[in-house]
Amino acid sequence: MKQLVSLLHSLIFVFTFSAFSFGVLAQTEVSKLVCEYHTNPLGIDVLKPRLSWQLVSDAQNVKQSAYEIRVAESASDLSKKGEQIWNSGKVESDQSVNVIYGGPAPESMQRFYWQVRIWDNNGKASKWSNPTYWEMGILEPEQWNASWITLSNEPETEDSKPAQYYRSEFSTSKNIKSARVYVTSHGLYELFLNGEKVGDQLFTPGWTSYNKRLQYQTYDVTNMLQNENAVGVVLGDGWYRGNIGWVSANGYYGDTLALLFQLKIDYTDGSNEWIVSDKNWKVSNGPIRKSDIYNGETYDARLELDGWTETGYTETGWKSVKEIDEPKDLLVAPQGVPVKAVEELKPIAFITTPKGEIVYDMGQNMVGWVRIKMKGKAGQKVQLKFAEVLDKEGNFYTANLRGAECTDTYIFAEDGEITYEPTFTFHGFRYLQLIGFDEIPSKEDITGVVIYSDMEPTGTFACNDEMINQLQHNIQWGQKGNFLDVPTDCPQRDERLGWTGDAQVFSMTAGYNFDVAAFYTKWMKDVAADQLDNGVVPHVIPDVLNGQGGATGWADAVAIIPWSVYKIYDDTRILEENYPAITKWVGYMNERAGDDFLWTGDTHFGDWLAYATTQSDYPGATTEKDLLATAYFYYTTTLTAKIAAIIGKPQDAKKYNQLATNIKEAFNNEFVTPNGRLVSHTQTAYVIALAFGILPESMVDEAADYLAKDVEKFKHLTTGFLGTPILCPTLSAIGRDDLAFMLLNRTEYPSWLYPVTQGATTIWERWDGQKPDGSFQDVGMNSFNHYAYGAIGEWLYSHVAGIQVDENNPGYKKFLLAPNPGGGLSHVKATFDSMYGKIVSDWEISNGEMNYSVVVPANTFAEIVLPKAKVAEITMTDDLKSAAKQTGTKVTVSVGSGTYSFGYPIAD
Ligand code: RAM
């Protein structure tokens, strides 16, 4: 008996011990607190900011059952009940993403510390998280005490004018508690305090629709101040005054650079002081003689202003500034992602071209500039030129840059060695050419500075096929190169504009690769700001083409991008905020379509850059624009109905659903034969009709058949900007993974891998940007860094790897893990850092055995769909097995958070 008792005891011990080690009772931690998608943001103007956090636990099935948020003016006040600004109390809720701050309205410049604790599904409370904060910016235009200042009597006539250097000195006498700079400009600024650059942001104040919204930045300069201080700001042309677009290419927003600067110093004795830009500041020109985004920078070191950002500088030749009356009521705090120098590259080769050009190969088509250590003599002028590709003879090729000079020029002040990098320009390039050098720098002397909006990387996709891995690399580098404060089409030629069509087709892929929530939130504000009164959304945002817009598949970005952000981040606010713009756009389409609900006759880009040939019997895959326009009219209307329902407008939802039904009927009468054939018998027409769900149920099979037959006939894609992103997803959806993988694996033109065979390191604008014989596509439009066709990335993550968002449970609260082996791949691993934490999907097939491992973050659920499986043959825990469902050849298992593995013999 005694023995039995002791056995029981030890069993109980083993049970509790293992329960512990499996984490059932382990404590869940709370981490990764963000406010408005940023960690400790400074200077925001969102009055009801949203707070998100992650639960960290290795245990399975961890959920949040309640949370408590507390907010105070200092970290130490957080735990003092009486000192708290807001305490949510214990809220029974599993929400851990985008919880709205519910405390009193914030004041300008007020700082809020916050922390959170949660209760898990066992009712166990976590510890309080570490405190983090957000700080408000300037909320009222009247709180701009500073004056806009500019160079008086500007004597500038040329296109690219010299940069302007502004300075002022001030002293402080008391102990400083904290100090903040609030600053913006017309043109780009770089700010210095006491000889040091303030912050690490580039291309500030960023690019917005300047005449409607101008961002200012906030910097914490508490530790940069001394008793005697000097502030210096240099202004360059940038998007404001430089060349941009082609309508009025130079000075689209204005021809006068200007600065608005204010510094608030809080002293420990409770007093404060403002240092502001005013008529007492001084201004001069200096070494930057020209700075232009397209054309490059000219730097004359003989004109350097030694020590101009430090105290004690003698302002010889400096002029007084002029105060000007420029608006302050359009100033906004940034919501996006600052541009920074994020990576550095070294050249992989030094080349002397057949023409004798001195060229360096950076090994990667990148965006930014080079920092170069170089030797020269006083007065010597050297030039740096940039190109994406070499021509077929191996010479430096710049014809595809069109009018963009992309040249940095440096003039030496004295004999010797210096290090130079430009300030207010960027180039899209893989090759660097040096001109006018006596002594050739070594590869070591050259560094490629890679700049982009410093988004957090969130996704990885890797497989056993190196060409597909290179494709994934190219997609990610296409994104890095074109996410420079706004999503641009290309980063190199005289364009670099926020083309809406490119942005919308790529938005889901973008959201796998990087955290784009804040980036798109900011850009969508510009979309709404630049929308015309009649609802037309301009082709490019910020609009520098005088309002040209309203093209199908382009303007629809107004609805599609908020919808993507909603799905990825469970962000209903972006839907609410953009709803007026979305409905205005639908209203415009409705008006253009008229009573018959067919949108015909207007000018569109259509399935831009679709497959074209010179064969007399087949000119190419042209999809009728009226068909595309009516289909997009339908699709955006269906999204609008969904959005209306989500944001609590059921009447609107009904109205847009009815409209969608009318368009659907009209579409089918006009563009579809009774046998399911579309009037444009192209891959794009079929994928659009199928993916948008515009065909009646009875015709889906026929249309799917036509699509499959077309792909079988050509054995390649024929799609352009609108069809390509949904081609593989649609083939998969109609059960033709074989064809989707055939297209993916194809290496001849036209295909995703053809550029890879040509050594591409980014996505090309054209399927045949460079032909097998080394010749090029039309110079008028041949970018080698254009992310649009990279939209295949979404299918790689969601279908091949199987990490799939569920629009009914947005933000990956509940998602699918549904891998689809195919195309001869044997191993695929993808990861995605969702708002809840890291998701992993990792499958491998070897010797007919499928092994699948997944990670499901805490506070989420996944439905795992195992392909070509039989419940009985799967190795998994008994409880999962008993709940597993067999549907055809698929087995579905629903799980909560944790790490799981499955193994089974996979049928062929
Ligand atoms: C070109 C670019 C851009 C595209 C427009 C329609 O300027 O290819 O990507 O969106 O045309």
Side-chain angles (χ1 to χ4, degrees), residues 246 402 488-490 493 495-503 539-540 545 551 554 604-606 608-609 721 765-766 780-783 786-788:
W246 48 77
R402 303 193 308 213
T488 60
D489 63 327
C490 60
R493 67 185 180 213
E495 190 153 354
R496 314 186 197 187
L497 304 177
W499 282 96
T500 46
D502 310 41
H539 298 323
V540 301
L545 302 180
W554 268 250
H604 302 287
F605 300 111
W608 190 243
L609 303 184
F721 272 37
E765 179 175 23
R766 321 279 300 232
M781 223 171 50
N782 197 19
S783 148
H786 224 81
Y787 59 61

Side-chain angles (χ1 to χ4, degrees), residues 293-444:
I293 286 176
Y294 293 161
N295 295 329
E297 177 169 298
T298 299
Y299 189 93
D300 187 343
R302 294 170 301 189
L303 302 174
E304 272 175 1
L305 308 161
D306 268 346
W308 71 283
T309 62
E310 291 161 33
T311 52
Y313 174 79
T314 318
E315 292 167 344
T316 317
W318 286 60
K319 298 177 191 154
S320 295
V321 299
K322 191 164 75 173
E323 288 186 350
I324 49 171
D325 194 17
E326 288 292 321
K328 295 176 187 167
D329 54 359
L330 46 62
L331 297 176
V332 293
Q335 276 190 283
V337 184
V339 177
K340 293 188 180 170
V342 189
E343 298 178 45
E344 295 198 340
L345 300 175
K346 282 290 183 189
I348 58 163
F350 169 75
I351 304 162
T352 309
T353 68
K355 279 191 187 161
E357 297 148 326
I358 304 298
V359 170
Y360 299 77
D361 177 0
M362 302 308 296
Q364 171 64 50
N365 196 355
M366 56 164 279
V367 175
W369 53 75
V370 294
R371 180 162 60 236
I372 180 167
K373 210 190 308 167
M374 53 190 184
K375 286 192 186 130
K377 299 201 181 63
Q380 186 178 350
K381 177 168 134 183
V382 293
Q383 288 193 312
L384 285 64
K385 284 182 171 283
F386 301 86
E388 291 185 288
V389 283
L390 301 180
D391 68 14
K392 64 175 166 192
E393 282 82 34
N395 291 314
F396 201 69
Y397 179 82
T398 56
N400 70 321
L401 305 177
R402 303 193 308 213
E405 285 167 20
C406 306
T407 305
D408 292 340
T409 304
Y410 184 91
I411 302 163
F412 282 82
E414 48 194 54
D415 297 3
E417 186 177 71
I418 57 90
T419 299
Y420 166 72
E421 62 189 306
T423 306
F424 295 129
T425 191
F426 63 87
H427 314 291
F429 67 101
R430 171 169 173 170
Y431 298 95
L432 159 73
Q433 183 192 4
L434 299 186
I435 297 171
F437 284 67
D438 295 334
E439 212 173 300
I440 305 304
S442 76
K443 285 191 287 180
E444 260 318 294

Side-chain angles (χ1 to χ4, degrees), residues 426-467:
F426 63 87
H427 314 291
F429 67 101
R430 171 169 173 170
Y431 298 95
L432 159 73
Q433 183 192 4
L434 299 186
I435 297 171
F437 284 67
D438 295 334
E439 212 173 300
I440 305 304
S442 76
K443 285 191 287 180
E444 260 318 294
D445 295 331
I446 291 168
T447 303
V449 181
V450 181
I451 63 158
Y452 50 94
S453 286
D454 189 16
M455 306 160 289
E456 200 179 311
T458 47
T460 62
F461 176 95
C463 67
N464 61 305
D465 183 320
E466 281 316 316
M467 289 188 91

